[in-house]
């Protein structure tokens, strides 16, 4: 059963298996900010393994990123790798001495002697009264951090310290009153924290988390309700755009992202403006691919090819676009060019499922089944982790693998591949039908009825 490129590409991109042009329209600094934000989110969800992957990408762009080095050091400590964490600290001390990130990692590694490792003395242990105040403040600061799209630990620490000082001053009436500008700062901080704890902000955070969890209808209902009270909230508008992007409704997604971008002058963080531009670019990319896919399905090959080539002008060597162009060439009978395009896509991204699927069909059709089976075995061996991230896509490849085994008269291997496909994607009827048909051909009707 051939894989549907529309479902395949959208699923892979939105699950993080393939590379999309999400960051193509951003600078290195903006890309770093987006990656750091994603890493922080995964750390908050206790998924250090996923955070580590994003942080390693940050270091490729900015080798001495203090935030990335700090988070990697924390992950190393959590995993019991003290020496590795110490190496991250050493790099911080060399490249960002005295920074908040260096002090924080030093405190985590050497709580008793952190002052000797940084250019500033360690913070003394707070008094018992101050400990009570800090415990009262902490939930508010956490709420602020959860609604902040970029990683800015120094800024959050400043807020924590300011609120703590305010509370301590209230407990000590005999001390000097704070200056007027400090009062204004405290009031602004209090207002920000109050806003962060408002029901709409909490509901917005829950709705954005629901998008990540795939609960799109629930998230949309919540965000549209919040929008009636916060019509100029870019995160609400952008969240609705993400929902439409995941649903494949690209024009609607672009509209929501553009509304969020229009509010960029009112945002204090210019990185958010870059985020909306990047998402607009991503939505337009997938819109073009799906348009080309529709034209291919209608056998309007020249028009489909032109759309893909326009995409490749903006995104050269993009694997999914190359694979789709390969499908177009294959449909037009140009197997030589199709094979070249599939292999070019795989050279760029070895686990690109669209290219693998297209190449397998081409090899089988041109009588090179042994080569096709060798490709399947290579993919299963070299990219097992990537395939396991999306069971539905893996199941589709297993169905194609079963077809190859059947054509090579390796029935037992075909049965095994189909059984695995059903386990990975139990709702797909094609694997069940194929396996039942195979059981009947082997005079095993009880097994066939059980599968169906």
């Amino acid at each position: 059963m051939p894989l549907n490129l529309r479902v395949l590409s959208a699923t892979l991109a939105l699950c993080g298996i393939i590379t999309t042009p999400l960051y193509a329209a951003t600078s290195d600094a903006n890309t770093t900010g987006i990656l750091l934000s994603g890493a922080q989110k995964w750390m908050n969800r206790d998924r250090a393994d996923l955070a580590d992957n994003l942080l390693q990408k940050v270091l490729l762009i900015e080798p001495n990123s203090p935030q990335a080095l700090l988070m990697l050091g924390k992950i190393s400590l959590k995993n019991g790798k003290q020496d590795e964490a110490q190496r991250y600290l050493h790099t911080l001390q060399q490249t960002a001495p005295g920074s908040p990130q260096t002090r924080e990692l030093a405190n985590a590694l050497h709580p008793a002697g952190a002052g000797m490792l940084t250019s500033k003395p360690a913070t003394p242990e707070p008094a018992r009264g101050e400990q009570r105040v800090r415990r009262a403040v902490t939930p508010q600061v956490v709420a602020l951090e959860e609604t902040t799209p970029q990683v800015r630990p120094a800024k959050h620490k400043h807020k924590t310290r300011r609120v703590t000082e305010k509370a301590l001053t209230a407990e000590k009436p005999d001390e000097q009153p704070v200056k007027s500008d400090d009062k204004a700062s405290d009031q602004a901080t209090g207002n920000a924290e109050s806003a962060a704890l408002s029901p709409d902000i909490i509901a917005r955070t829950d709705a954005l988390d629901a998008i990540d969890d795939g609960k799109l209808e629930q998230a949309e209902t919540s965000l549209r309700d919040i929008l009636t009270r916060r019509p100029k909230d870019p995160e609400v508008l952008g969240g609705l755009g993400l929902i439409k992007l995941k649903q494949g409704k690209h024009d609607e997604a672009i509209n929501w992202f553009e509304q969020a971008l229009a509010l960029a002058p009112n945002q204090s963080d210019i990185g958010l403006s870059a985020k909306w531009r990047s998402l607009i670019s991503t939505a337009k990319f997938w819109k073009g691919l799906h348009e080309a896919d529709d034209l291919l399905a209608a056998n309007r090959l020249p028009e489909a090819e032109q759309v893909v080539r326009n995409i490749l002008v903006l995104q050269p060597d993009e694997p999914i676009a190359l694979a789709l162009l390969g499908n177009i060439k294959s449909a037009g009978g140009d197997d030589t060019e199709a094979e070249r395009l599939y292999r070019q896509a795989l050279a760029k991204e070895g686990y690109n499922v669209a290219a693998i699927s297209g190449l397998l069909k081409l090899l089988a059709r041109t009588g090179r089944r042994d080569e096709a089976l060798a490709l399947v075995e290579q993919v299963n061996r070299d990219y097992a982790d990537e395939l396991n991230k999306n069971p539905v896509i893996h199941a589709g490849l297993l169905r194609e693998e079963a077809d190859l085994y059947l054509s090579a008269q390796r029935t037992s291997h075909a049965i095994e591949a189909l059984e695995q496909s059903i386990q990975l994607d139990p709702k797909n009827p094609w694997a069940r039908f194929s396996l039942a048909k195979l059981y009947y051909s082997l005079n095993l009707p009880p097994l066939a009825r059980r599968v169906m």
Side-chain angles (χ1 to χ4, degrees), residues 394-416:
H394 192 184
L397 281 180
L398 283 167
R399 292 194 295 273
E400 294 196 22
E401 183 179 340
D403 290 339
L404 288 171
Y405 283 131
L406 284 174
S407 64
Q409 297 183 346
R410 296 167 63 177
T411 306
S412 61
H413 290 79
I415 290 175
E416 182 180 355

PDB file of all heavy atoms in Angstrom, residues 394-416:
ATOM      1  N   HIS A 394       6.339   4.064  10.580  1.00  0.00           N
ATOM      2  CA  HIS A 394       7.101   2.816  10.581  1.00  0.00           C
ATOM      3  C   HIS A 394       6.232   1.675  10.066  1.00  0.00           C
ATOM      4  O   HIS A 394       6.692   0.809   9.297  1.00  0.00           O
ATOM      5  CB  HIS A 394       7.594   2.517  11.999  1.00  0.00           C
ATOM      6  CG  HIS A 394       8.600   1.429  12.069  1.00  0.00           C
ATOM      7  ND1 HIS A 394       9.109   0.958  13.265  1.00  0.00           N
ATOM      8  CD2 HIS A 394       9.214   0.688  11.106  1.00  0.00           C
ATOM      9  CE1 HIS A 394       9.985   0.004  13.014  1.00  0.00           C
ATOM     10  NE2 HIS A 394      10.057  -0.181  11.718  1.00  0.00           N
ATOM     11  N   ALA A 395       4.960   1.676  10.470  1.00  0.00           N
ATOM     12  CA  ALA A 395       4.041   0.627  10.016  1.00  0.00           C
ATOM     13  C   ALA A 395       3.865   0.674   8.506  1.00  0.00           C
ATOM     14  O   ALA A 395       3.783  -0.372   7.838  1.00  0.00           O
ATOM     15  CB  ALA A 395       2.690   0.794  10.705  1.00  0.00           C
ATOM     16  N   GLY A 396       3.810   1.866   7.922  1.00  0.00           N
ATOM     17  CA  GLY A 396       3.683   1.986   6.471  1.00  0.00           C
ATOM     18  C   GLY A 396       4.871   1.387   5.744  1.00  0.00           C
ATOM     19  O   GLY A 396       4.714   0.694   4.727  1.00  0.00           O
ATOM     20  N   LEU A 397       6.068   1.611   6.264  1.00  0.00           N
ATOM     21  CA  LEU A 397       7.259   1.021   5.647  1.00  0.00           C
ATOM     22  C   LEU A 397       7.266  -0.502   5.784  1.00  0.00           C
ATOM     23  O   LEU A 397       7.709  -1.218   4.883  1.00  0.00           O
ATOM     24  CB  LEU A 397       8.521   1.603   6.291  1.00  0.00           C
ATOM     25  CG  LEU A 397       8.935   3.002   5.820  1.00  0.00           C
ATOM     26  CD1 LEU A 397      10.206   3.440   6.536  1.00  0.00           C
ATOM     27  CD2 LEU A 397       9.143   3.046   4.318  1.00  0.00           C
ATOM     28  N   LEU A 398       6.760  -0.990   6.898  1.00  0.00           N
ATOM     29  CA  LEU A 398       6.702  -2.443   7.085  1.00  0.00           C
ATOM     30  C   LEU A 398       5.751  -3.088   6.074  1.00  0.00           C
ATOM     31  O   LEU A 398       5.993  -4.207   5.611  1.00  0.00           O
ATOM     32  CB  LEU A 398       6.259  -2.769   8.509  1.00  0.00           C
ATOM     33  CG  LEU A 398       7.336  -2.592   9.585  1.00  0.00           C
ATOM     34  CD1 LEU A 398       6.716  -2.630  10.983  1.00  0.00           C
ATOM     35  CD2 LEU A 398       8.404  -3.681   9.463  1.00  0.00           C
ATOM     36  N   ARG A 399       4.672  -2.393   5.728  1.00  0.00           N
ATOM     37  CA  ARG A 399       3.752  -2.937   4.719  1.00  0.00           C
ATOM     38  C   ARG A 399       4.441  -3.029   3.359  1.00  0.00           C
ATOM     39  O   ARG A 399       4.262  -3.997   2.621  1.00  0.00           O
ATOM     40  CB  ARG A 399       2.486  -2.079   4.643  1.00  0.00           C
ATOM     41  CG  ARG A 399       1.610  -2.163   5.883  1.00  0.00           C
ATOM     42  CD  ARG A 399       0.222  -1.593   5.645  1.00  0.00           C
ATOM     43  NE  ARG A 399       0.247  -0.170   5.376  1.00  0.00           N
ATOM     44  CZ  ARG A 399       0.207   0.756   6.323  1.00  0.00           C
ATOM     45  NH1 ARG A 399       0.192   0.397   7.600  1.00  0.00           N
ATOM     46  NH2 ARG A 399       0.189   2.041   6.011  1.00  0.00           N
ATOM     47  N   GLU A 400       5.226  -2.021   3.032  1.00  0.00           N
ATOM     48  CA  GLU A 400       5.969  -2.075   1.772  1.00  0.00           C
ATOM     49  C   GLU A 400       7.047  -3.156   1.827  1.00  0.00           C
ATOM     50  O   GLU A 400       7.318  -3.838   0.829  1.00  0.00           O
ATOM     51  CB  GLU A 400       6.591  -0.712   1.490  1.00  0.00           C
ATOM     52  CG  GLU A 400       5.548   0.367   1.233  1.00  0.00           C
ATOM     53  CD  GLU A 400       6.144   1.595   0.588  1.00  0.00           C
ATOM     54  OE1 GLU A 400       7.207   1.474  -0.029  1.00  0.00           O
ATOM     55  OE2 GLU A 400       5.539   2.667   0.697  1.00  0.00           O
ATOM     56  N   GLU A 401       7.645  -3.303   2.986  1.00  0.00           N
ATOM     57  CA  GLU A 401       8.642  -4.360   3.165  1.00  0.00           C
ATOM     58  C   GLU A 401       8.003  -5.722   2.955  1.00  0.00           C
ATOM     59  O   GLU A 401       8.602  -6.617   2.325  1.00  0.00           O
ATOM     60  CB  GLU A 401       9.221  -4.251   4.585  1.00  0.00           C
ATOM     61  CG  GLU A 401      10.313  -5.233   4.905  1.00  0.00           C
ATOM     62  CD  GLU A 401      10.853  -5.043   6.313  1.00  0.00           C
ATOM     63  OE1 GLU A 401      10.667  -3.963   6.886  1.00  0.00           O
ATOM     64  OE2 GLU A 401      11.464  -5.996   6.834  1.00  0.00           O
ATOM     65  N   ALA A 402       6.770  -5.905   3.457  1.00  0.00           N
ATOM     66  CA  ALA A 402       6.061  -7.169   3.275  1.00  0.00           C
ATOM     67  C   ALA A 402       5.814  -7.452   1.792  1.00  0.00           C
ATOM     68  O   ALA A 402       5.960  -8.597   1.334  1.00  0.00           O
ATOM     69  CB  ALA A 402       4.736  -7.141   4.040  1.00  0.00           C
ATOM     70  N   ASP A 403       5.456  -6.422   1.031  1.00  0.00           N
ATOM     71  CA  ASP A 403       5.255  -6.613  -0.410  1.00  0.00           C
ATOM     72  C   ASP A 403       6.534  -7.086  -1.096  1.00  0.00           C
ATOM     73  O   ASP A 403       6.502  -7.946  -1.987  1.00  0.00           O
ATOM     74  CB  ASP A 403       4.774  -5.306  -1.048  1.00  0.00           C
ATOM     75  CG  ASP A 403       3.352  -4.936  -0.646  1.00  0.00           C
ATOM     76  OD1 ASP A 403       2.616  -5.841  -0.214  1.00  0.00           O
ATOM     77  OD2 ASP A 403       2.988  -3.745  -0.760  1.00  0.00           O
ATOM     78  N   LEU A 404       7.653  -6.523  -0.668  1.00  0.00           N
ATOM     79  CA  LEU A 404       8.939  -6.937  -1.247  1.00  0.00           C
ATOM     80  C   LEU A 404       9.241  -8.398  -0.917  1.00  0.00           C
ATOM     81  O   LEU A 404       9.701  -9.165  -1.766  1.00  0.00           O
ATOM     82  CB  LEU A 404      10.064  -6.040  -0.723  1.00  0.00           C
ATOM     83  CG  LEU A 404      10.103  -4.607  -1.261  1.00  0.00           C
ATOM     84  CD1 LEU A 404      11.112  -3.785  -0.488  1.00  0.00           C
ATOM     85  CD2 LEU A 404      10.450  -4.605  -2.743  1.00  0.00           C
ATOM     86  N   TYR A 405       8.978  -8.788   0.320  1.00  0.00           N
ATOM     87  CA  TYR A 405       9.237 -10.174   0.716  1.00  0.00           C
ATOM     88  C   TYR A 405       8.330 -11.143  -0.052  1.00  0.00           C
ATOM     89  O   TYR A 405       8.771 -12.242  -0.441  1.00  0.00           O
ATOM     90  CB  TYR A 405       9.030 -10.349   2.226  1.00  0.00           C
ATOM     91  CG  TYR A 405      10.164  -9.812   3.059  1.00  0.00           C
ATOM     92  CD1 TYR A 405       9.921  -8.976   4.146  1.00  0.00           C
ATOM     93  CD2 TYR A 405      11.485 -10.150   2.766  1.00  0.00           C
ATOM     94  CE1 TYR A 405      10.959  -8.480   4.914  1.00  0.00           C
ATOM     95  CE2 TYR A 405      12.535  -9.656   3.543  1.00  0.00           C
ATOM     96  CZ  TYR A 405      12.259  -8.825   4.604  1.00  0.00           C
ATOM     97  OH  TYR A 405      13.295  -8.341   5.366  1.00  0.00           O
ATOM     98  N   LEU A 406       7.075 -10.741  -0.261  1.00  0.00           N
ATOM     99  CA  LEU A 406       6.168 -11.607  -1.011  1.00  0.00           C
ATOM    100  C   LEU A 406       6.638 -11.774  -2.455  1.00  0.00           C
ATOM    101  O   LEU A 406       6.585 -12.886  -3.005  1.00  0.00           O
ATOM    102  CB  LEU A 406       4.749 -11.026  -0.987  1.00  0.00           C
ATOM    103  CG  LEU A 406       3.980 -11.198   0.327  1.00  0.00           C
ATOM    104  CD1 LEU A 406       2.657 -10.454   0.277  1.00  0.00           C
ATOM    105  CD2 LEU A 406       3.743 -12.688   0.619  1.00  0.00           C
ATOM    106  N   SER A 407       7.098 -10.685  -3.063  1.00  0.00           N
ATOM    107  CA  SER A 407       7.570 -10.787  -4.443  1.00  0.00           C
ATOM    108  C   SER A 407       8.832 -11.639  -4.541  1.00  0.00           C
ATOM    109  O   SER A 407       9.120 -12.234  -5.577  1.00  0.00           O
ATOM    110  CB  SER A 407       7.847  -9.391  -5.006  1.00  0.00           C
ATOM    111  OG  SER A 407       8.905  -8.770  -4.301  1.00  0.00           O
ATOM    112  N   ALA A 408       9.579 -11.718  -3.441  1.00  0.00           N
ATOM    113  CA  ALA A 408      10.781 -12.560  -3.400  1.00  0.00           C
ATOM    114  C   ALA A 408      10.465 -13.961  -2.873  1.00  0.00           C
ATOM    115  O   ALA A 408      11.384 -14.751  -2.621  1.00  0.00           O
ATOM    116  CB  ALA A 408      11.848 -11.909  -2.532  1.00  0.00           C
ATOM    117  N   GLN A 409       9.153 -14.255  -2.645  1.00  0.00           N
ATOM    118  CA  GLN A 409       8.684 -15.549  -2.151  1.00  0.00           C
ATOM    119  C   GLN A 409       9.266 -15.875  -0.770  1.00  0.00           C
ATOM    120  O   GLN A 409       9.564 -17.029  -0.465  1.00  0.00           O
ATOM    121  CB  GLN A 409       9.021 -16.664  -3.162  1.00  0.00           C
ATOM    122  CG  GLN A 409       8.332 -16.477  -4.507  1.00  0.00           C
ATOM    123  CD  GLN A 409       8.598 -17.609  -5.472  1.00  0.00           C
ATOM    124  OE1 GLN A 409       9.493 -18.436  -5.258  1.00  0.00           O
ATOM    125  NE2 GLN A 409       7.831 -17.659  -6.553  1.00  0.00           N
ATOM    126  N   ARG A 410       9.400 -14.869   0.041  1.00  0.00           N
ATOM    127  CA  ARG A 410       9.863 -15.061   1.427  1.00  0.00           C
ATOM    128  C   ARG A 410       8.655 -14.807   2.329  1.00  0.00           C
ATOM    129  O   ARG A 410       8.531 -13.787   2.990  1.00  0.00           O
ATOM    130  CB  ARG A 410      11.025 -14.123   1.724  1.00  0.00           C
ATOM    131  CG  ARG A 410      12.250 -14.433   0.864  1.00  0.00           C
ATOM    132  CD  ARG A 410      13.301 -13.331   0.917  1.00  0.00           C
ATOM    133  NE  ARG A 410      13.867 -13.141   2.238  1.00  0.00           N
ATOM    134  CZ  ARG A 410      14.851 -12.269   2.500  1.00  0.00           C
ATOM    135  NH1 ARG A 410      15.377 -11.549   1.512  1.00  0.00           N
ATOM    136  NH2 ARG A 410      15.309 -12.142   3.727  1.00  0.00           N
ATOM    137  N   THR A 411       7.757 -15.806   2.348  1.00  0.00           N
ATOM    138  CA  THR A 411       6.451 -15.632   2.986  1.00  0.00           C
ATOM    139  C   THR A 411       6.554 -15.384   4.482  1.00  0.00           C
ATOM    140  O   THR A 411       5.847 -14.526   5.035  1.00  0.00           O
ATOM    141  CB  THR A 411       5.592 -16.887   2.733  1.00  0.00           C
ATOM    142  OG1 THR A 411       5.546 -17.143   1.324  1.00  0.00           O
ATOM    143  CG2 THR A 411       4.179 -16.681   3.255  1.00  0.00           C
ATOM    144  N   SER A 412       7.421 -16.128   5.153  1.00  0.00           N
ATOM    145  CA  SER A 412       7.520 -15.976   6.609  1.00  0.00           C
ATOM    146  C   SER A 412       7.963 -14.562   6.979  1.00  0.00           C
ATOM    147  O   SER A 412       7.469 -13.979   7.954  1.00  0.00           O
ATOM    148  CB  SER A 412       8.494 -17.001   7.180  1.00  0.00           C
ATOM    149  OG  SER A 412       9.794 -16.819   6.634  1.00  0.00           O
ATOM    150  N   HIS A 413       8.884 -13.993   6.192  1.00  0.00           N
ATOM    151  CA  HIS A 413       9.324 -12.629   6.457  1.00  0.00           C
ATOM    152  C   HIS A 413       8.187 -11.634   6.219  1.00  0.00           C
ATOM    153  O   HIS A 413       8.045 -10.648   6.951  1.00  0.00           O
ATOM    154  CB  HIS A 413      10.518 -12.272   5.567  1.00  0.00           C
ATOM    155  CG  HIS A 413      11.775 -12.989   5.927  1.00  0.00           C
ATOM    156  ND1 HIS A 413      12.025 -14.292   5.552  1.00  0.00           N
ATOM    157  CD2 HIS A 413      12.858 -12.584   6.639  1.00  0.00           C
ATOM    158  CE1 HIS A 413      13.209 -14.661   6.005  1.00  0.00           C
ATOM    159  NE2 HIS A 413      13.738 -13.638   6.674  1.00  0.00           N
ATOM    160  N   ALA A 414       7.379 -11.898   5.185  1.00  0.00           N
ATOM    161  CA  ALA A 414       6.249 -11.014   4.898  1.00  0.00           C
ATOM    162  C   ALA A 414       5.239 -11.048   6.042  1.00  0.00           C
ATOM    163  O   ALA A 414       4.717 -10.002   6.458  1.00  0.00           O
ATOM    164  CB  ALA A 414       5.580 -11.429   3.590  1.00  0.00           C
ATOM    165  N   ILE A 415       4.951 -12.253   6.559  1.00  0.00           N
ATOM    166  CA  ILE A 415       4.016 -12.380   7.684  1.00  0.00           C
ATOM    167  C   ILE A 415       4.537 -11.609   8.900  1.00  0.00           C
ATOM    168  O   ILE A 415       3.789 -10.872   9.561  1.00  0.00           O
ATOM    169  CB  ILE A 415       3.806 -13.868   8.036  1.00  0.00           C
ATOM    170  CG1 ILE A 415       3.002 -14.548   6.927  1.00  0.00           C
ATOM    171  CG2 ILE A 415       3.088 -14.009   9.381  1.00  0.00           C
ATOM    172  CD1 ILE A 415       2.856 -16.050   7.120  1.00  0.00           C
ATOM    173  N   GLU A 416       5.810 -11.756   9.178  1.00  0.00           N
ATOM    174  CA  GLU A 416       6.401 -11.063  10.328  1.00  0.00           C
ATOM    175  C   GLU A 416       6.298  -9.544  10.168  1.00  0.00           C
ATOM    176  O   GLU A 416       5.945  -8.827  11.122  1.00  0.00           O
ATOM    177  CB  GLU A 416       7.863 -11.466  10.472  1.00  0.00           C
ATOM    178  CG  GLU A 416       8.554 -10.836  11.679  1.00  0.00           C
ATOM    179  CD  GLU A 416      10.006 -11.248  11.794  1.00  0.00           C
ATOM    180  OE1 GLU A 416      10.456 -12.096  10.983  1.00  0.00           O
ATOM    181  OE2 GLU A 416      10.700 -10.728  12.685  1.00  0.00           O
TER     182      GLU A 416
END
